[in-house]
Amino acid sequence: MNKHLFALLTSFLAIACSEKPHNIQEIGTTPEIYPDYIGVEIPAGIAPLNFSMASNSFSLVDVIVSSADGTSINSQGLATDFDIDDWHALTQKAKGDSLKVEVRAKIKKQWLSFVPFYIHVSNDSLDAYGLTYRRIEPGYRVFNMMGLYERNLSNFDETDIFVSSELVGSCVNCHTANRGSNEQFMFHVRGDNGGTVVRSNGKTEVVNTKCDKIIGSLVYPSWHPDGRFVACSSNSTRQTFNMIKDKRIEVLDLESDVVVYDTENHNIITSDLINKTDTIFETFPSFSADGKKIYYCSEDYASQSIEVTDMHYILCSIDFDAETQTFGNRIDTIVDLRDQHLSIALPRTSPDGRFIMFTACDYGTFPIWHKEADLWLLRLSDNKLCRIDNVNSDDTESFHNWSNNSRWFVFSSRRDDGLFTRLYIAHCDENGVCSKPFMLPQRNPKEYYSRLFNSYNTPDFATGKVVTDQKSISSKLSSSNKIQVK
Amino acid sequence: MNISQPSAYKWLSTSLFAIAALLFWRLWQYSLMSFHEEFLLFIFDKEFIFERLFTFGGLAIFLGDFLTQFFTSMWLGAAIIALLYVAIQQFTWSIAKTMGAQDRHYPLSFLPAIIMWLHMSDGNVMISYVVSVTIALAAVAALARIKGEKALIVTTAIGTLLLFVTISIGAYLFATSAVLIHFMRNGNWRRSCILLAGMTVLTAIIVIVTYRLSSYELWRIATGLYFYRVKYFIGWMNILVLALITFIPFIIAKVDMLRKSQFSRIFLIEMAVIVLIAPYALYKAYNKLGNQLIHYDYLVRTEKWDKIIDKASQHQNGSVFEALSLNLALAVTGQLSDRLFEFEQHGPDGLIPPFPNDNVTIALAGEIYLRIGMVNIAQRTFFEAQENIMTDVMSGRFTMRLAEMCIINGDYKVARKYINILKKTYTYRKWAIENEKLLGYEDIINAHPFYGVMRRLRTQEDFNYNDNIADQIAGHHFDQNNSNVLALDYALCYQILSGKTDVFASSFARNVKKASYTHFPRVYQEALAYEWRRTHDSFDNMPWNLSPDVIQNYRTFANIYTNNKNDQRLKNPPLSKTVMGYMLNH
């Protein structure tokens, strides 16, 4: 309510204070804007791509965005603030085509006009209501305020899914939904009042997943498409802290296994091939699109020293039969980048079954603090593998997820300032050709991101508004009556 | 001024009370005042202001934050607190007077302010709480002037609702006072009980509705959100103090029912009792360990190293926090290797702490890491300290430190982010503008007296830090830069305090020539003597030229110990204040 009132007031003020550009000097280049939306590809109906001039020296920016049929919208201010409905209408008209963006900006009483740039509007819909993610301050041990949030992608509204502020010293881990479902998801809460929150079939359960069969809690979940099973890894981890600039923290596994959790019977399904008695670390499971395979990363620690810099994970797969609830009896190596001294993490299969996207970094299993970490794409039809160069940056690219129609993916990157991860969305066509990504839009991105001292974690698309009752979940977490996994 | 007039007495006593409070905070408890500001960054922008104002109890929270930002200015901060006390006293008197109090009982109107003053000895009591109580008293003072019963009831209901939203638990004071006013006016206890029941139901509904609409726990809504710094503790004392302050104005109004007497005599007796008891109570309340630690925190923050050493020299409170502060002060002033054992020690954890959980100790740990040259670890520590603030605000101190860490590491984009925020503040704006000018200018930063030095002290070689190898890491910093004698002192003293005198002896032998000691540090001499004699029968052939005094001390100690290891001389200075004494007693 207050936000809307404030927006209304500022809109009136903006109209009252607008200025018609005059004595314009032509500049022969495209403008430097923040965020860099020049040449990006967007879905129709996305929230307005507002921006400012990158330099703070500009006092005004005046922008006209037009579609090929001549329809245009205009915004002027320190940052653009396009009307959401007008923007949506314009992007719908420009579907499959481009929006032309003409920028004029004022610096020291002089108006400059830049070479127009284009924003391509994809024919592919986003197929999502919004994004879910965790926002976290860059602490490693002390947790006061940490939360899972959902962002409506057609506007700028952010709502809480679960915020840990009322639970003593709790750390809220990844929210993972089944194909972006707002009704079927799980997340884990660490701390004294810890537990794994599983919502499925209209029920929210808090489960104690620690049991003799597994090493620790269930993390890095991936839902089976049928919604009954969740592949997870169970890890014993250690944090170490780096001493030099550009490196901060390494998290390494001392043990890890991949298991499957049955949400109906509350039991763990394991395999002798990948259980905790073996000499191989297994982590980051991801069900294949048809649910018949689990892709995961593995590292044979028996053959190497335990130095983290020597740990190079490869991408493997193992069959899983949901009917018999059994694993296959063979492990296949899918991608091995050890000859390039790269370690694979976070594989994610696209829901259409065409691709696996993963992160590769120099070593280890915690790419988020590796500046060299990049996204890679494997096309399963012909095993064509490539680093996604027009998506990657000089800084970290890490966690990622696909939209339900497999044409968009969201990922986290530190490219904005080198410290705080921000979210980016990019298009991927059916051949695996990816577009230049765009930063998650905000009403005033420059102001918003400069004031946000949180990092975004574990982003995923959501098909609707996530259903949670925080009070009920907190109460279940605080209770000693949690469902014990067998 | 005619001193025989009640108004003159009142004016004079209130003025003296204000001056006493002003001097108390400015001259004695300035560090506690600074502690409030340390965990706040009041940002003059719409996001911050809207966020605080539109929180439950937001007006009190916002005003509390607004006032707290000035607490770095000692006189201004002390004046603000003194004025809050005066406001509490004046509103108390206004209520009491309206309800029929006689001027002779004016001294009793100081009681709520004194109770608040005593309560504020707990540094976790937020200024927003004081503001909430003050506004509530002001509202009651206005309410007491309403004459008609219906008008009183309607105003009470609306006022309770409005106050609960704007100042949170201060509304309890208002609602209870309204019932007391009603009872004292009408003398009809049945009707007053109905009003009490009505106000209780209304308040309960407001609390429950607020709870349902918010993400907070019920008890946090019921006891106020940001009125106590540690959010996991229920602020029962806040509620108790609120209750006391609620009833006092009405007791003052009715105290003449007990005994009537002459103005000046009663006034002077009451005033004398307050003047005699209050200072003692305040001294006892404020002179506690927690506040002593806060004082050390202040001295470290303001880099008053000599004052830390002086304070510890006069009296040691026996806490690890004190040892950490003191040892840092000794190290920074180059005295650690000579005077370490002149003071009570708490093992290696009193020198370089394992990762602490409270954010005052986290901040102190950050200061220690930073001065050793562990810039990344210090940065991490200030991140953690920032995250650990439970009132959902940033800290000016930590934000400034984080900006500095980014400048040292050359992360100018992030540094600019912090600086942009600091530019929007009263306290840190000047610093932010000055430091913004440095961003990107490598030569200037390299030559800067702080940033340049820190860039040379930090390590260029990566390795993994953990608390168990703090001495090795400090030693490594010295290896990389032999001018970093502070790091070597930390490493060597850590080994001695850990009882690893063999490790110390070899570290010392390896590094002493590289370090630019102007003399043979006393602590190291004692440790070498101890280690040598631990492994040899005599001092013969010892490779170190120890001072005769150190050798004599060792012999004296050894002789006494051989005769009677429980001899009190070993446990008392001067022998207890040696490496041998430390080893015996730990």
Side-chain angles (χ1 to χ4, degrees):
Chain A
M1 176 64 188
N2 302 317
K3 280 183 192 167
H4 295 306
L5 186 66
F6 186 77
L8 196 66
L9 281 171
T10 47
S11 302
F12 278 127
L13 280 173
I15 292 164
C17 302
S18 68
E19 178 183 330
K20 191 172 167 54
H22 55 280
N23 296 331
I24 303 168
Q25 185 186 332
E26 299 285 335
I27 302 292
T29 59
T30 52
E32 277 187 45
I33 59 170
Y34 180 90
D36 176 11
Y37 287 144
I38 297 173
V40 298
E41 184 166 359
I42 61 168
I46 190 85
L49 264 58
N50 291 318
F51 61 87
S52 314
M53 296 301 289
S55 164
N56 287 334
S57 307
F58 289 90
S59 55
L60 273 179
V61 61
D62 184 89
V63 178
I64 299 167
V65 184
S66 53
S67 58
D69 69 353
T71 311
S72 68
I73 57 174
N74 172 246
S75 180
Q76 190 185 88
L78 205 53
T80 63
D81 187 7
F82 297 110
D83 178 84
I84 293 175
D85 293 336
D86 292 349
W87 173 271
H88 286 170
L90 196 67
T91 56
Q92 286 297 344
K93 275 187 181 171
K95 240 177 157 180
D97 203 339
S98 290
L99 293 170
K100 182 181 176 187
V101 186
E102 296 165 86
V103 178
R104 289 167 296 184
K106 189 180 176 187
I107 182 168
K108 293 176 185 166
K109 298 184 181 174
Q110 175 64 53
W111 281 94
L112 308 178
S113 175
F114 296 88
V115 172
F117 66 86
Y118 294 88
I119 294 173
H120 185 69
V121 184
S122 173
N123 267 324
D124 294 319
S125 72
L126 185 62
D127 201 16
Y129 158 86
L131 285 179
T132 59
Y133 44 79
R134 178 172 71 162
R135 278 203 281 108
I136 177 175
E137 290 196 40
Y140 312 109
R141 211 136 131 182
V142 176
F143 305 108
N144 174 40
M145 181 67 135
M146 182 189 290
L148 301 170
Y149 302 90
E150 183 172 36
R151 163 68 192 273
N152 185 334
L153 278 174
S154 64
N155 57 36
F156 306 108
D157 292 347
E158 184 186 69
T159 47
D160 298 355
I161 297 174
F162 186 81
V163 180
S164 72
S165 63
E166 298 300 285
L167 289 169
V168 181
S170 296
C171 166
V172 182
N173 287 0
C174 336
H175 166 274
T176 307
N178 184 9
R179 303 314 192 248
S181 168
N182 56 331
E183 274 284 351
Q184 195 168 44
F185 56 84
M186 69 189 285
F187 62 88
H188 182 71
V189 180
R190 275 196 284 154
D192 293 341
N193 291 316
T196 302
V197 178
V198 183
R199 180 163 176 88
S200 189
N201 301 323
K203 281 190 306 185
T204 304
E205 293 174 339
V206 176
V207 183
N208 180 12
T209 57
K210 285 186 182 170
C211 68
D212 291 344
K213 281 185 182 174
I214 57 174
I215 298 161
S217 304
L218 297 179
V219 293
Y220 304 126
S222 167
W223 286 80
H224 188 275
D226 294 347
R228 176 174 169 182
F229 302 101
V230 189
C232 299
S233 69
S234 179
N235 311 43
S236 164
T237 58
R238 193 177 77 197
Q239 287 185 333
T240 61
F241 297 94
N242 301 92
M243 297 299 293
I244 55 165
K245 80 186 254 344
D246 298 336
K247 290 195 173 189
R248 290 174 203 281
I249 182 171
E250 200 63 58
V251 177
L252 61 146
D253 286 338
L254 301 175
E255 279 182 282
S256 67
D257 284 328
V258 164
V259 298
V260 169
Y261 170 59
D262 177 356
T263 60
E264 280 182 23
N265 293 331
H266 305 113
N267 67 322
I268 300 285
I269 303 161
T270 60
S271 156
D272 285 346
L273 270 179
I274 52 172
N275 73 3
K276 64 181 176 182
T277 57
D278 64 18
T279 59
I280 297 176
F281 293 160
E282 297 91 0
T283 188
F284 299 131
S286 176
F287 267 114
S288 61
D290 59 8
K292 292 180 178 170
K293 270 185 197 305
I294 296 172
Y295 294 97
Y296 64 94
C297 298
S298 83
E299 151 74 8
D300 185 353
Y301 70 86
S303 62
Q304 296 177 15
S305 75
I306 200 76
E307 281 294 317
V308 66
T309 48
D310 296 328
M311 297 178 91
H312 294 100
Y313 285 72
I314 60 171
L315 180 63
C316 298
S317 76
I318 186 167
D319 288 345
F320 179 76
D321 186 332
E323 278 193 18
T324 58
Q325 300 177 24
T326 52
F327 285 86
N329 53 16
R330 199 186 73 196
I331 293 168
D332 294 319
T333 298
I334 308 298
V335 180
D336 182 348
L337 296 176
R338 284 179 296 187
D339 57 341
Q340 297 178 53
H341 301 287
L342 289 174
S343 181
I344 296 173
L346 303 165
R348 285 286 181 277
T349 53
S350 62
D352 65 3
R354 286 170 187 264
F355 307 108
I356 297 177
M357 189 178 287
F358 59 83
T359 307
C361 60
D362 281 354
Y363 56 85
T365 180
F366 201 64
I368 191 64
W369 282 109
H370 283 249
K371 279 195 178 292
E372 78 288 351
D374 278 333
L375 295 179
W376 288 61
L377 193 66
L378 172 69
R379 192 163 63 193
L380 289 167
S381 59
D382 57 1
N383 283 334
K384 189 188 170 202
L385 179 67
C386 66
R387 194 192 302 253
I388 321 173
D389 286 335
N390 55 338
V391 164
N392 291 315
S393 70
D394 291 341
D395 218 305
T396 311
E397 278 71 42
S398 182
F399 202 93
H400 47 271
N401 260 312
W402 292 93
S403 67
N404 269 355
N405 62 4
S406 305
R407 293 288 74 85
W408 300 92
F409 58 95
V410 59
F411 64 97
S412 59
S413 172
R414 290 196 200 274
R415 68 185 65 183
D416 188 40
D417 59 25
L419 177 62
F420 298 102
T421 50
R422 302 291 180 234
L423 298 185
Y424 297 80
I425 299 171
H427 180 260
C428 178
D429 72 15
E430 51 196 30
N431 296 313
V433 177
C434 299
S435 67
K436 178 178 172 180
F438 63 93
M439 194 182 203
L440 179 64
Q442 304 292 349
R443 186 174 292 283
N444 183 340
K446 200 173 192 178
E447 191 175 281
Y448 182 86
Y449 288 119
S450 71
R451 279 290 257 112
L452 185 68
F453 292 91
N454 287 174
S455 280
Y456 288 88
N457 269 187
T458 61
D460 196 2
F461 292 97
T463 54
K465 196 156 168 33
V466 175
V467 182
T468 49
D469 178 350
Q470 288 203 57
K471 288 191 164 55
S472 156
I473 293 173
S474 293
S475 155
K476 285 178 180 172
L477 281 165
S478 304
S479 132
S480 54
N481 240 350
K482 291 168 193 158
I483 296 168
Q484 178 59 51
V485 163
K486 304 177 283 259
Chain B
M1 182 178 71
N2 185 352
I3 200 77
S4 64
Q5 292 302 308
S7 63
Y9 279 104
K10 289 194 285 188
W11 182 88
L12 185 65
S13 55
T14 298
S15 301
L16 289 174
F17 175 73
I19 291 166
L22 177 79
L23 296 177
F24 175 93
W25 283 100
R26 173 59 191 92
L27 300 179
W28 191 35
Q29 287 299 324
Y30 52 88
S31 50
L32 184 55
M33 199 163 65
S34 168
F35 179 77
H36 284 283
E37 191 279 334
E38 183 173 334
F39 297 101
L40 172 73
L41 187 67
F42 189 94
I43 306 164
F44 280 96
D45 70 10
K46 67 176 190 297
E47 279 82 9
F48 180 83
I49 292 169
F50 272 48
E51 194 181 303
R52 297 307 268 181
L53 267 178
F54 290 108
T55 307
F56 164 67
L59 181 66
I61 292 164
F62 171 79
L63 290 174
D65 288 350
F66 179 80
L67 296 175
T68 304
Q69 71 176 315
F70 300 112
F71 285 10
T72 45
S73 171
M74 294 300 168
W75 281 110
L76 183 57
I80 287 168
I81 296 176
L83 284 174
L84 283 169
Y85 292 161
V86 168
I88 289 172
Q89 182 265 327
Q90 286 292 306
F91 290 131
T92 301
W93 178 244
S94 172
I95 298 163
K97 183 79 177 163
T98 310
M99 298 312 295
Q102 298 299 308
D103 284 343
R104 64 176 73 92
H105 296 299
Y106 187 75
L108 297 180
S109 69
F110 289 98
L111 287 177
I114 292 169
I115 289 169
M116 184 62 83
W117 194 345
L118 288 165
H119 186 42
M120 284 174 67
S121 66
D122 178 353
N124 290 322
V125 175
M126 304 280 289
I127 302 303
S128 51
Y129 171 75
V130 186
V131 170
S132 174
V133 171
T134 309
I135 293 175
L137 283 169
V140 176
L143 186 76
R145 292 171 196 277
I146 293 172
K147 300 291 179 201
E149 186 184 16
K150 276 186 187 166
L152 181 77
I153 292 170
V154 171
T155 311
T156 302
I158 296 170
T160 303
L161 182 63
L162 282 177
L163 288 173
F164 204 80
V165 172
T166 53
I167 62 164
S168 177
I169 60 171
Y172 299 152
L173 184 152
F174 179 81
T176 313
S177 298
V179 174
L180 291 169
I181 291 169
H182 183 270
F183 177 71
M184 286 172 72
R185 287 260 170 81
N186 300 298
N188 184 334
W189 64 269
R190 279 190 185 176
R191 286 162 72 94
S192 295
C193 280
I194 293 168
L195 179 61
L196 176 64
M199 293 317 302
T200 307
V201 170
L202 176 68
T203 310
I205 290 170
I206 297 169
V207 170
I208 290 164
V209 169
T210 312
Y211 163 69
R212 291 306 310 172
L213 294 176
S214 75
S215 61
Y216 300 104
E217 299 268 349
L218 182 62
W219 64 265
R220 285 198 72 200
I221 296 294
T223 57
L225 277 185
Y226 301 125
F227 291 165
Y228 198 75
R229 199 177 309 282
V230 187
K231 70 179 175 187
Y232 302 125
F233 294 151
I234 298 175
W236 289 120
M237 279 306 290
N238 277 356
I239 301 291
L240 180 64
V241 166
L242 192 76
L244 284 172
I245 292 175
T246 302
F247 286 99
I248 286 173
F250 301 96
I251 293 169
I252 298 170
K254 287 293 168 195
V255 79
D256 267 344
M257 289 169 66
L258 306 174
R259 183 183 175 87
K260 293 193 177 180
S261 189
Q262 196 188 354
F263 167 78
S264 56
R265 213 174 81 193
I266 289 294
F267 184 97
L268 290 172
I269 290 170
E270 287 177 359
M271 190 56 83
V273 170
I274 287 172
V275 167
L276 285 173
I277 293 174
Y280 176 76
L282 287 168
Y283 176 78
K284 293 300 282 183
Y286 279 82
N287 189 31
K288 58 186 173 190
L289 180 63
N291 290 351
Q292 289 171 26
L293 304 188
I294 285 171
H295 191 216
Y296 275 118
D297 174 61
Y298 171 80
L299 294 175
V300 169
R301 182 186 179 186
T302 52
E303 302 186 344
K304 303 255 174 34
W305 309 119
D306 291 336
K307 283 196 175 177
I308 293 174
I309 298 166
D310 287 348
K311 184 175 163 66
S313 301
Q314 286 163 23
H315 171 70
Q316 280 197 264
N317 59 43
S319 68
V320 176
F321 190 91
E322 177 188 63
L324 288 165
S325 310
L326 170 67
N327 289 336
L328 177 62
L330 290 171
V332 171
T333 53
Q335 302 178 64
L336 189 69
S337 54
D338 284 313
R339 302 186 64 191
L340 179 70
F341 292 109
E342 282 183 28
F343 303 92
E344 185 184 343
Q345 291 299 327
H346 290 264
D349 292 353
L351 189 69
I352 305 176
F355 191 84
N357 286 322
D358 69 284
N359 48 5
V360 186
T361 316
I362 295 175
L364 175 57
E367 299 290 345
I368 295 167
Y369 299 141
L370 178 64
R371 282 170 178 82
I372 293 172
M374 302 183 201
V375 176
N376 266 24
I377 304 301
Q379 184 183 36
R380 170 201 158 206
T381 309
F382 290 114
F383 277 139
E384 305 279 11
Q386 185 98 284
E387 167 67 7
N388 206 24
I389 298 173
M390 295 187 189
T391 48
D392 300 335
V393 288
M394 296 166 80
S395 148
R397 174 185 178 183
F398 303 154
T399 306
M400 205 169 92
R401 275 291 189 219
L402 287 169
E404 288 174 337
M405 303 299 107
C406 290
I407 294 173
I408 294 165
N409 276 337
D411 297 330
Y412 300 126
K413 275 187 174 178
V414 185
R416 193 178 296 282
K417 260 182 152 156
Y418 289 121
I419 283 174
N420 281 340
I421 287 290
L422 293 167
K423 274 163 69 182
K424 295 179 183 175
T425 65
Y426 160 80
T427 308
Y428 304 95
R429 181 174 165 75
K430 192 175 163 211
W431 180 92
I433 290 170
E434 280 170 7
N435 281 268
E436 187 181 31
K437 291 175 191 161
L438 305 176
L439 299 182
Y441 293 98
E442 291 296 314
D443 291 344
I444 299 175
I445 292 170
N446 287 335
H448 191 275
F450 173 64
Y451 300 125
V453 169
M454 289 315 305
R455 280 188 169 186
R456 289 186 286 282
L457 292 185
R458 70 188 165 151
T459 179
Q460 306 299 322
E461 188 188 325
D462 193 23
F463 47 92
N464 294 323
Y465 177 85
N466 74 60
D467 298 335
N468 300 326
I469 55 165
D471 61 321
Q472 292 172 35
I473 289 170
H476 181 85
H477 279 74
F478 172 75
D479 287 342
Q480 294 232 329
N481 181 343
N482 289 165
S483 69
N484 191 358
V485 178
L486 182 146
L488 179 64
D489 284 340
Y490 261 95
L492 296 176
C493 290
Y494 192 93
Q495 289 157 357
I496 296 169
L497 288 168
S498 304
K500 298 176 190 166
T501 46
D502 51 341
V503 178
F504 156 78
S506 59
S507 299
F508 182 78
R510 200 171 54 248
N511 291 304
V512 65
K513 283 188 181 164
K514 293 183 266 179
S516 53
Y517 288 116
T518 54
H519 63 286
F520 200 159
R522 173 91 186 181
V523 170
Y524 300 160
Q525 289 193 52
E526 288 176 359
L528 289 167
Y530 175 85
E531 175 57 20
W532 181 264
R533 289 290 279 113
R534 199 174 66 81
T535 50
H536 297 78
D537 292 335
S538 74
F539 282 109
D540 296 345
N541 302 321
M542 192 190 185
W544 305 106
N545 186 18
L546 304 186
S547 116
D549 177 37
V550 168
I551 292 177
Q552 185 53 46
N553 252 0
Y554 181 87
R555 285 183 173 141
T556 308
F557 193 99
N559 286 338
I560 296 171
Y561 183 80
T562 310
N563 290 331
N564 177 10
K565 63 183 176 184
N566 293 321
D567 194 312
Q568 284 306 305
R569 283 178 291 174
L570 301 177
K571 292 174 182 169
N572 290 313
L575 293 179
S576 65
K577 295 195 169 193
T578 60
V579 170
M580 296 78 80
Y582 173 80
M583 296 299 172
L584 177 69
N585 295 315
H586 286 79

